[in-house]
Amino acid sequence: MNYLDVLSTKPDMLSPGISTCGGCAMEIALRRVLQIAGPNTVFSIPPGCAAGAGTMGWNFTNGVRIPVHISLLPNMGSMMTGVSQMYQRRGREEVNIIAFAGDGASADCGFQALSGAAERGERMLYICYDNEGYMNTGFQRSSTTTMGSLTSTTPAGSVTHGKAQAQKQLAFIMAMHRVEYVATLSPAYMKDFVDKVEKGLAASKRGFAFLHVYTPCPTGWHFAQDMAIQVARAGVKANITPLFEVEGGVWRQTVKNSRPIPVAEYAKLMKKYEGIDEETLARWQKSVDADADTLARLTK
Amino acid sequence: MKALAITGNISAALGCSLARPDLIAAYPITPQSSVVEHLALLIAEGKLDSRIVHVESEHSAMSVLSGASLAGGRTFTATSSQGLALMYEPYFRVSTLRLPVIMPIACREMTSPSSIWCGQQDAMSVREAGWIQVYVENNQEILDMVIQGYKLAEDPDILLPMNICYDGFYLSHLVERVELPEQSQVDSFLPPFKQYDAKLDPDDPMAVDPLTEGSILMQYRMSHLAAMKRALTRVEEIDREYAQVFGRSYGGLVEGYRMEDAEIALVTIGSMTGTAREAIDQARSNGVRAGLVKVRFMRPFPAEALRNILAGVKAWAVVDRSVSFGWNCGPLFVETEAAICGSDLARNSSYFSAIGGLGGTDITLDLLLGLLKKVTGNKRQNGKMETVWLDENFLGRVE
């Protein structure tokens, strides 16, 4: 089915009234993932924006039409392992097992459980929505926060200014677990997005599938509410969030980027990098170029 | 019926196997490791039909069980000490989600200082996390309580997870005679796990654990405490049902030994009880009217049963294998004292806390005989006395 048909015909599984910030890219990702997966799904979200926005619900009401559980922050990979194993034991392999966790719950606090589930080849679709920090608790730094970013724990000061380190490349690391499927996704490239969610769901019936979705955050990154898609596209153009997939050990860049824009141009779109100095910009560009070079070699 | 010579860990594994679990997940830690090693072997040899997940930590072990239990499975893990500490976050979650997970704890000291040996500090320290906790005396009781544990935990009026706590090395690695029940007997005693609520199933979709306001959360806590209270009765009933099928009874919440006309008593918990029985016998043969109270359940705490069985005793001591850091005594003593508060027993007897057996040290027959001597000397006094340490200088101090 054409991706537009998928998105226009399959029912929305998420309440129209959840309380994300205006212009949130995570909401786009969440809504599309659940729409593609459909009702025969068990779904879990750890504490974070996706859970806090009302998806999990309040008292006796909730925001999705499918069974949902809020895992602990560090245990998404292992908690869903238990669910997945039981569905296999009961012969209900057709049920989608989907984890939807932020970068903190995936790359930091929950990395051990994620890595363990991936290494064991547990059958699930694990989606990391990456807004590059702890946005739900007030925009603190995480290991996927990019270099130079201003966050509430890496603020602008006279001694230090923004995050000093480059971001952790989670999708690269997950690919080295030799899982069934790994891909990076952007809400700015919806055909690519839908293809990868469908592939990920199919792969999750054979083993572990990991999707890394870049979800720019207007509130935390300080850009206008109508700009999330523009920022997401610029991230891909600047090679900060390249779109690729790894299947059966074969790496493939799914959206080519032959003439990348400088990271400085991307940085201008938001106040997250306000006051970034030339030296940091140069270091950041160098690190992005090095990762792009690694990816080019892997996808050759 | 078959009798085997096995360690406490193998006994726990065989009890689990007889209960036909759907899923086992565990991480190695001394002195628990051979529980899951043996279960892995049973699965590898086709003798047990269960899934086993070799997780990367205890935090994940308990997390896997929470997911599997929410998906309707009967689950099992085992741990000790630092592993229990690491899993504290999902440990608490499992009880408050009312998931009937069974987890033996091969009890071990908490670090620091570094120690791998016996002590009940690990299990005692998590007694406020909402689990049922039974402390057992020997390897037969381990197996029997794993089987009884599922019956109790999965009871629709209870729905609480349960620890079977046994002393590390003293039981985990000690070989004893254990009678192995027939599978058919266990099958008739223990029906398959039936899920009631808190489930993850697309055929019956629900949100498990939405953000919950305080007035509803209070209802959850009241319901949890009410289930604990019902467990006080169910423990006794299940003990009797078990005796009818398998011929073994442990007395339910507490067991009295030679307590009928006792003037002095020791209150014990765990494997030290075996030695204490011998000490009581020797004291009795010397004309001392001594008795023993073995506390089996720490959660729910058998306050009424303890008040009843100790009524009329003139002097007694509670022996703990762990400490309560704020009270200068052991945790079983703290709770026993709370249980007798305001009773005639509190007014008309003398009592104290004895702490021993930490870090794998032995609670020897001599130590317990010395302790009985000290308790006997308090017969004409009333009220709480100084805490006593059963260390290497204790016997010298008693003389």
Side-chain angles (χ1 to χ4, degrees), chain A residues 39-43 55-62 65-75 77-90 92-93 95 112-117 119-120 122, chain B residues 20-23 49-57 59-61 63-74 86 89-90 93 97 199-213 216 220:
Chain A
N40 203 18
T41 298
V42 175
F43 179 58
T55 309
M56 264 317 299
W58 164 249
N59 289 350
F60 299 115
T61 57
N62 76 297
R65 295 171 195 275
I66 50 175
V68 60
H69 178 48
I70 180 167
S71 75
L72 298 165
L73 192 63
N75 82 350
S78 42
M79 193 282 290
M80 284 304 250
T81 292
V83 175
S84 173
Q85 290 273 349
M86 273 312 296
Y87 272 85
Q88 290 166 60
R89 182 167 172 87
R90 299 277 190 254
R92 294 178 66 184
E93 285 97 341
V95 173
Q112 181 178 309
L114 166 60
S115 175
E119 182 270 335
R120 295 189 303 269
E122 303 292 350
Chain B
R20 298 187 188 273
D22 290 302
L23 186 139
D49 170 27
S50 170
R51 296 207 161 227
I52 186 163
V53 183
H54 305 293
V55 286
E56 79 298 329
S57 75
H59 193 286
S60 277
S63 300
V64 169
L65 299 197
S66 72
S69 190
L70 284 168
R74 178 175 285 168
L86 181 58
E89 189 190 24
R93 188 88 188 272
L97 272 172
K199 63 171 96 163
L200 292 175
D201 186 345
D203 293 342
D204 185 10
M206 67 175 74
V208 179
D209 259 3
L211 199 60
T212 303
E213 61 154 328
I216 300 173
Y220 279 107

Side-chain angles (χ1 to χ4, degrees), chain A residues 5-6 24 32 37 39 45-46 63 95 143 155-156 192-193 230 237 257 290 299:
Chain A
D5 294 333
V6 171
C24 172
R32 295 300 164 242
I45 337 168
V95 173
S143 64
D192 186 69
F193 186 105
Q230 192 182 332
K237 294 281 184 203
N257 191 27
T299 53

Side-chain angles (χ1 to χ4, degrees), chain A residues 92-116:
Chain A
R92 294 178 66 184
E93 285 97 341
E94 77 288 356
V95 173
N96 302 313
I97 309 293
I98 301 182
F100 194 83
D103 45 296
S106 304
D108 291 351
C109 186
F111 181 69
Q112 181 178 309
L114 166 60
S115 175

Side-chain angles (χ1 to χ4, degrees), chain B residues 93-112:
Chain B
R93 188 88 188 272
V94 156
S95 89
T96 47
L97 272 172
R98 309 289 298 273
L99 303 176
V101 169
I102 295 295
M103 179 172 77
I105 300 173
C107 294
R108 166 182 151 180
E109 276 300 340
M110 293 299 299
T111 300
S112 284

Side-chain angles (χ1 to χ4, degrees), chain A residues 169 172 176 242 244 251 253 286-300:
Chain A
Q169 290 290 10
F172 280 32
M176 298 315 289
F244 61 92
W251 294 61
Q253 192 152 1
K286 202 174 158 189
S287 129
V288 167
D289 290 346
D291 287 350
D293 185 52
T294 303
L295 185 61
R297 288 158 189 263
L298 288 165
T299 53
K300 208 177 246 177

Side-chain angles (χ1 to χ4, degrees), chain A residues 37 42 49 67 73 87 105 180 183-184 187 198 201 223 250-251 258 260 294:
Chain A
V42 175
C49 288
L73 192 63
Y87 272 85
E180 281 292 323
T184 56
E198 286 178 337
L201 278 169
F223 58 78
V250 179
W251 294 61
S258 49
T294 303

Side-chain angles (χ1 to χ4, degrees), chain B residues 23-88:
Chain B
L23 186 139
I24 297 155
Y27 186 79
I29 185 166
T30 302
Q32 167 279 127
S33 305
S34 53
V35 178
V36 273
E37 283 173 358
H38 194 72
L39 287 166
L41 185 66
L42 292 176
I43 291 169
E45 289 177 340
K47 292 174 181 164
L48 170 60
D49 170 27
S50 170
R51 296 207 161 227
I52 186 163
V53 183
H54 305 293
V55 286
E56 79 298 329
S57 75
E58 288 88 354
H59 193 286
S60 277
M62 187 52 65
S63 300
V64 169
L65 299 197
S66 72
S69 190
L70 284 168
R74 178 175 285 168
T75 60
F76 181 91
T77 187
T79 196
S80 300
S81 183
Q82 309 305 116
L84 177 62
L86 181 58
M87 70 165 63
Y88 184 69

